[in-house]
Each structure stands twice: as C-alpha cells, then as structure tokens.
Amino acid sequence: MGWGKLRIGGAWSGVLEVEMDEWTVAMLREEVANRSDCGGPHSINLICAGRVLKDGDGTEKLSQLGIRNNAKILASKVSADQDGKSVKDEFLAEEERSKKLSRLKAAATSLASRHADGSLPVEDFNLELENQSGEKVQLGSETDQRAIMMGLMLHANAKALIRRQQYRDALEVLTMGEEAFSLCDPKLIEMVDNVSILQIDMVWCYFMLRDITWLSVAGIRLAKAREGIERAHGKESTRLRILQGGRYPELALHLRMELLEGVVAYHSGQLQKSKNALISAQAKYLQLQVPDEALSLLMSMGYKEREAKRALRMNNLDVGSAVDFLVEEKVKKAQKREENLQRQKEILEQKQYGRTPLRKAVDLQKLKELVSIGFEKDLAAEALRRNENDTQKALDDLTNPETNSALQNDVISRKRKRLRKTTASATENLVSMGFDRASVDSALRTFGSEEEALNYLLGQPNANAVEQANPSSALPPDTHGTDRLGAEHAVGSDAEGSSAGPSAQDDSLERDVEMEDQLTEGLQNADAYSDYDIEVTKEGEAIIEYLALLSSAENVG
C-alpha cells in the first residue's frame, strides 16, 4: 500500500503521513502522543471507525488492520483514574464492584416484590407508581407492576451514579434496569418515556467513558429512544405540551439525544448527518442558557439558584411561568409530605390487623366500606384478614352469629397478645435502666404505660414504694401507651390458617437495608420532572469538541 495520509482529531488535530505497510499501532500512538504532549503513549487511545486500536503483539501493520489512506482517527486522552492501577488492585476493585451490583439487584427484586403484590410493607412507606401529574396509577398485572417498580428503582440509582461520574457502574445498573423493564408488557411500556430515557442515559455513559466500541449498539439505542419518545410525547412533543400546560421540560433531554446522535454519526463517517444533529443540539443548548437578569430576579424572591434555573429552563426562560411553576411545585411537595404521613399511619394501622393467610395486608378501602355500614372496625378488619380481603365472604362472616362470635374472640385474643408483648418490652426496658423487676411490674400494673411508670419510678426515693400506691389495681385492657407501641409490634391472630404477625415475618427476612436505602432514596427525592432535569454543561463542551472535529475534517478534506 505504501505511504498514506491519516486524519487525526481529538487530543491532537492534523494530518500524518505514514507508511501503512510498516507502521504499527504502537508507532502511531507514540507519534500522536509526542505531538499532543499528553504525557506518553500510555495516555492516548486511538479510535478508528468505532473500534479502539490495540497494540497487539506489536507486529501487525496498519494496513493489516484495515486502515486505509485518508482514514479518520480520533485520539482521546485516557482518564486519570485508568492510570497507575496495579493488576491486583483492579482485580480486587472489580470483585468488590461485582458483589455490590449483585446486592443491588437482589435488593431491587426484594423491594419490588414486597411493594407490588399488596403485601404488608416491612417499612413504614410504600412504593407506588405515579404518572406525570403525581397521581397514583395501577399499570397491568402484578408482574408488570413489579417489573416497572424494579426498573424505576434501578434507573434512579443509576442516575445518582451518573451525577457522581461513576459511569461504568451506572452502565451496569442501567443494564439491569433495562432487563427489568423488558419483563413488563410491551404495550404498557410504550405508553411511557422511561425506557427511552434509560436508553439515552446508557449511550451517555458510553460517551463519557469514551468507549466508541459501543458505536453500533449506541446507534440502535438512540433510534429506539427517539421512536419511543415520539410515541409517548406525540409528534413534536404535542401530547407532552398539553400534559405539561405549555411547558418545555423535555428540551435538555432532546439536546443530549441530538448530541449523541451527532457523535455516533461522526464516528460512522456520516459527517453531514453529524453536523446537522450537532447544530440542532447547539441551538437547544443556547436556548437553555439562563439570562443573569432572570436568574437574579427569581433569587431576589428567595428561590435558590438550582431551583430557579430549573424553573426557567422548564418554562422556556419565561419569568412569569417560572414563578407559577415554583409555586405549584411548593404546593405539590407539601401535599406529597402530607400524603406520605397519611400512608405511614395507614401502614401502622395495617400492621395492627396482621396479615392474611397469603401474607397480604388488610385492604383499608374495603375496611372503610364495611365500617361505613355499621361494623366495628377491628371486627371488620379480622373478617377481611381471614377471607383474603374478599368483601362478600367477610360480610357473610360478620352477619353470621357463630362466625361473628369467633371473630370477636380472635380480636380479643390478639389485643391481649399485643398487650402482653408491649408490657414485656416495657418491663425489659425499665429493668435495663436499673430498676428492680418487682417494682417495675407493680408500676406498670398501676399506670399502664411505660412512660408513666418511668415517671413514677424516677420520683420514688424507694422504688418499692409503688407497691403501696395501688396494690389491687389491674392492668387496663387497652391504653394509649400500648396502642402506640402495639401498632409497631402487632402480631397476627391465632385463628387457623392465619400467619404470624409482622414482627415474626420481619425477623425471618434477610434484608439488605443499605442497598434498599440507596434504591428508595433516589425515588423518594424524585418528582415528575427529575428525568428531564439535566445540567447541560458537559453537553455544551462536547458540542464544541465535535463541531471542531468536523471543521478539522472539512478543512483537511
């Protein structure tokens, strides 16, 4: 083949004349490193036609690798964290990383299973699906619900990793999220944009890792993402615009997608297509630049810089609309907090009633219906619990004198057990503080609650004096103190076929609380706009970089 020209871009831009039948990748890498002053050949990656060029055994020539005259080669700097790691360190880090990812997947599976099938939550919160308006929705079957929940949790976790620039880990978690979404009915997935956004996030990780070996699959993912977003948002986002009341939350997402489409087109040799995509992305980038005056005005109203910028970007930089948006968001957050507190109270109430034979929670809506027609609440809850939340069967039991009597006995039995458990716990707590057990027993019999018993014991010079306070007093059947504690430690009925109460199940669960907290934190702090809330600084830098590469290629050509 003889001599040929190679067009280099990236860390160094220019044209190299090389002897294709003589030069190796190592020789080319050294030459580019010398010209770019990057600190040696080890600090440069060479990418040609979407393939990272490897040194191999050092004997293969450029012509043997399929590199031809006028080939375009991207020279990128190796990130600092790739330098200087020993093989042993890398192996140990990889092993630890693999374990953590396995734990994360197991925790996501466990959480989704517990929260998608009507089981009584172990936690004091419940994961529920919401639409863009913040309304609770039920999508598809229990399997679909579980798949969507798992996908959303993993996607939220991956976004947190992306924010911390841990792109490799994020990519692994996104792959698990994609797998989870794939278990859901495709018709349901087509209704939402979550999977499309996940695809864009995956390609963003490829790009930030500068791993162009993913070039072909990146193009496929972006095509699917564009198709999915158009289906969910409508042509030119018309459907989304209606749903969002004329707002423009998707602008940053489209900017990132077009940038990545431009990058893929560039490395595929489609220079004009790349230029069109990058120019469109640049226009959106400029559209998202917040004017200082508008930002200053919102901040003077007491809003923080981050939330003010977000509001302006979501509302096409219109100050009035941004203020309306911020006010609405504040109201929504307050409402959300109130709903969460209410849901926590409901879960504590559900725990008090125990689990059904299939370990589900008592359905509070069905319980409310039975109470509204005159049945006592605890009795109605026991009837639903026994009958797996079947309202008609519960009604039959409640109206049958024989089964009604049995239900009453079970309710009384469970209350006594809860009371004994609470009293035992209170006794141990007070004894552990140094009080005599006999004095503690007497104080609890006299005052009923742990708090009042403690106050009395602390006020006695001789704790045994409580014996004379009310020696014949009996333990009240139900007090405010035991209700409060019992709600957290309620146990199930002795009725045949019933399961042990929440505390019994909790003890048998092998939970990875650390991983579960990581997964739920991302969801609990998210809102309807989180997926669109992208800080576009890196995108702006990448647009400039690739437009420069295109310009260099055009000048050389």
Side-chain angles (χ1 to χ4, degrees), residues 340-358:
N340 287 341
L341 287 171
Q342 180 59 34
R343 184 61 187 127
Q344 286 175 4
K345 290 178 183 176
E346 289 174 352
I347 290 171
L348 290 174
E349 182 182 351
Q350 286 176 309
K351 288 183 176 181
Q352 187 173 347
Y353 300 135
R355 292 176 171 82
T356 71
L358 293 179

Side-chain angles (χ1 to χ4, degrees), residues 207-420:
F207 174 68
M208 295 308 293
L209 290 167
R210 298 291 173 154
D211 191 347
I212 312 299
T213 55
W214 289 94
L215 184 66
S216 59
V217 72
I220 294 169
R221 288 193 185 284
L222 289 172
K224 286 182 178 178
R226 180 169 283 281
E227 179 186 343
I229 285 175
E230 187 168 304
R231 187 169 51 240
H233 292 183
K235 193 76 172 175
E236 296 182 355
S237 300
T238 50
R239 180 171 173 269
L240 182 68
R241 200 72 62 244
I242 294 169
L243 287 171
Q244 297 296 338
R247 294 187 173 116
Y248 293 78
E250 81 288 358
L251 204 57
L253 181 69
H254 281 266
L255 157 61
R256 177 176 283 184
M257 180 167 62
E258 288 177 354
L259 160 64
L260 294 171
E261 287 172 336
V263 170
V264 169
Y266 174 83
H267 290 293
S268 301
Q270 300 170 288
L271 300 188
Q272 189 57 48
K273 181 179 178 181
S274 174
K275 187 174 183 179
N276 293 341
L278 290 169
I279 288 174
S280 180
Q282 188 177 49
K284 289 180 175 61
Y285 174 75
L286 294 173
Q287 194 176 341
L288 286 166
Q289 298 311 295
V290 176
D292 291 341
E293 298 82 5
L295 179 61
S296 176
L297 181 59
L298 287 184
M299 290 180 69
S300 70
M301 297 179 188
Y303 296 111
K304 294 179 181 177
E305 181 179 356
R306 177 87 174 83
E307 62 180 348
K309 279 186 176 180
R310 181 179 191 247
L312 287 164
R313 285 172 175 162
M314 296 284 175
N315 291 277
N316 207 22
L317 305 182
D318 182 82
V319 174
S321 299
V323 171
D324 291 341
F325 175 85
L326 287 163
V327 171
E328 286 176 25
E329 287 299 286
K330 186 176 181 180
V331 171
K332 283 181 182 176
K333 284 179 181 177
Q335 184 179 342
K336 184 79 172 177
R337 282 194 297 270
E338 190 63 35
E339 288 174 357
N340 287 341
L341 287 171
Q342 180 59 34
R343 184 61 187 127
Q344 286 175 4
K345 290 178 183 176
E346 289 174 352
I347 290 171
L348 290 174
E349 182 182 351
Q350 286 176 309
K351 288 183 176 181
Q352 187 173 347
Y353 300 135
R355 292 176 171 82
T356 71
L358 293 179
R359 310 196 76 75
K360 309 294 185 186
V362 169
D363 189 313
L364 293 183
Q365 186 58 43
K366 292 179 178 179
L367 176 59
K368 188 183 293 185
E369 291 169 7
L370 290 176
V371 171
S372 70
I373 57 177
F375 292 106
E376 193 269 323
K377 197 170 190 179
D378 283 347
L379 203 62
E382 178 61 16
L384 285 169
R385 189 198 66 75
R386 273 188 168 201
N387 291 288
E388 208 61 59
N389 287 312
D390 186 315
T391 304
Q392 187 55 54
K393 288 181 179 178
L395 198 55
D396 291 343
D397 279 354
L398 288 165
T399 53
N400 181 307
E402 187 177 336
T403 51
N404 185 289
S405 177
L407 288 172
Q408 290 187 48
N409 289 335
D410 286 341
V411 170
I412 292 169
S413 174
R414 187 168 62 251
K415 281 187 175 180
R416 284 174 178 167
K417 281 188 176 182
R418 188 166 69 242
L419 196 56
R420 284 199 297 271

Side-chain angles (χ1 to χ4, degrees), residues 81-111:
D81 63 354
Q82 289 178 298
D83 263 341
K85 286 185 178 178
S86 70
V87 174
K88 182 180 178 182
D89 287 343
E90 287 185 357
F91 175 78
L92 291 174
E94 181 61 30
E95 188 176 31
E96 181 62 30
R97 183 173 156 274
S98 179
K99 285 179 182 177
K100 188 172 182 179
L101 289 170
S102 296
R103 286 173 58 200
L104 191 72
K105 185 175 182 179
T109 303
S110 177
L111 271 170

